[in-house]
Amino acid sequence: MADEERDAERPVGRARPPAGRDHLRVLDPEREPAAIKALTHPLRVRLLGLLRMDGPATASELAARTGESSASTSYHLRVLAKYAFVAEAEHRDGRERRWRAVHAVTTWDHAAMEASPVGREFTGKMARRQIDHLGESLGWYEAARAAGRVGREWLEPSGITDLLPTLTPESLSELKQAFEDKLEELTARDAGEARAEKVVVFFAGLPVVGRVEGDAGDRRAEGADGADRAAEVDGAGGADRAAEVNGADGADRAVEVDGAAEADEAGAAPRRVRGYTHD
């Protein structure tokens, strides 16, 4: 059975709130440029996402999941372990090493990353992978909906909203913080709810600064004008499939593209100038 078919049959995970700051890996380009560089490799990103989503696995299991050789996945897992993204997990038997993700979410400070060549390369690659993830999420959601695997109660709240408001930097920061605060509140509220499912969530706040006709952003689907467009597309949801970067299942995945607000001392997620990825 193909990976896509197996993923479609797998039950959706239940929502669970993170515990304190232990779920975060905060990247610092000044202190750990080698770790950031290591995470720019696409297979390592995918392996880390799979471990975070599905739990501990062996190199052979991950090789079967990704279509890579076990020698390749084993090597890249060791690189991830070197920089403390993954660690050895409890073994089922003594024949093969099992790996687990050390953190649930990777996060960073945009200003610090922008000041570093390694950081700029990393954030650029991650943003594009997250955009790919959005497209994959929409495709898999539509397939799940067409196959009748999405309950009717999920149809109305699911979707993609594409808007072009005019905001100051302060207002955009306030919007991001309000989004994160509400998401944290609702996640905690629904933690014990039997009907709660993992959903894939995107947030992007990108100022259209110095846009000129012919920019890459204008070369989109035929007839779509970004200056006048404010459309809502019937799209991504989380009842059955969401997606992971580079094609893996993301029913358990929630990614925020352009983060918000700074970390507080009580252990809340860092915000305002942060970026996030589940990978």
Side-chain angles (χ1 to χ4, degrees), residues 113-171:
M113 288 292 193
E114 184 64 22
S116 161
V118 171
R120 287 195 297 273
E121 178 187 8
F122 171 80
T123 54
K125 288 184 175 180
M126 290 309 305
R128 281 160 181 77
R129 288 184 188 136
Q130 289 167 327
I131 291 170
D132 290 342
H133 168 211
L134 175 58
E136 292 163 357
S137 299
L138 177 57
W140 285 329
Y141 170 76
E142 288 179 332
R145 189 181 61 187
R149 298 193 303 270
V150 179
R152 293 185 61 83
E153 70 276 14
W154 288 100
L155 297 179
E156 188 62 32
S158 303
I160 301 174
T161 300
D162 177 8
L163 302 172
L164 285 171
T166 300
L167 301 172
T168 64
E170 294 76 18
S171 293

Side-chain angles (χ1 to χ4, degrees), residues 18-190:
R21 285 184 57 84
D22 290 343
H23 73 294
L24 293 175
R25 170 66 183 270
V26 182
L27 299 178
D28 186 333
E30 290 189 7
R31 292 190 299 106
E32 49 184 356
I36 294 172
K37 185 75 173 178
L39 203 58
T40 61
H41 192 285
L43 180 55
R44 291 173 198 155
V45 171
R46 188 175 182 193
L47 294 174
L48 180 57
L50 287 169
L51 291 175
R52 286 176 170 176
M53 178 174 56
D54 296 330
T58 66
S60 295
E61 290 167 346
L62 292 169
R65 181 69 180 83
T66 60
E68 301 285 337
S69 69
S70 57
S72 177
T73 56
S74 180
Y75 167 75
H76 289 296
L77 285 165
R78 291 196 301 272
V79 174
L80 290 170
K82 177 181 179 181
Y83 296 108
F85 291 105
V86 305
E88 286 194 49
E90 183 178 351
H91 303 326
R92 291 178 178 171
D93 53 47
R95 291 179 297 175
E96 193 169 11
R97 179 182 300 178
R98 294 181 67 77
W99 299 94
R100 63 176 178 85
V102 176
H103 307 91
V105 176
T106 303
T107 182
W108 58 88
D109 183 295
H110 283 304
M113 288 292 193
E114 184 64 22
S116 161
V118 171
R120 287 195 297 273
E121 178 187 8
F122 171 80
T123 54
K125 288 184 175 180
M126 290 309 305
R128 281 160 181 77
R129 288 184 188 136
Q130 289 167 327
I131 291 170
D132 290 342
H133 168 211
L134 175 58
E136 292 163 357
S137 299
L138 177 57
W140 285 329
Y141 170 76
E142 288 179 332
R145 189 181 61 187
R149 298 193 303 270
V150 179
R152 293 185 61 83
E153 70 276 14
W154 288 100
L155 297 179
E156 188 62 32
S158 303
I160 301 174
T161 300
D162 177 8
L163 302 172
L164 285 171
T166 300
L167 301 172
T168 64
E170 294 76 18
S171 293
L172 180 57
S173 294
E174 183 177 339
L175 176 62
K176 293 176 183 178
Q177 182 168 355
F179 170 83
E180 285 205 342
D181 287 345
K182 192 63 178 180
L183 181 60
E184 183 177 343
E185 173 193 333
L186 295 176
T187 301
R189 187 186 74 183
D190 291 349

Side-chain angles (χ1 to χ4, degrees), residues 199-227:
V199 300
V200 58
V201 177
F202 291 84
F203 182 95
L206 307 173
V208 185
V209 178
R211 173 183 172 273
V212 296
E213 193 171 339
D215 278 352
D218 289 331
R219 297 192 288 273
R220 302 185 297 185
E222 186 175 348
D225 181 358

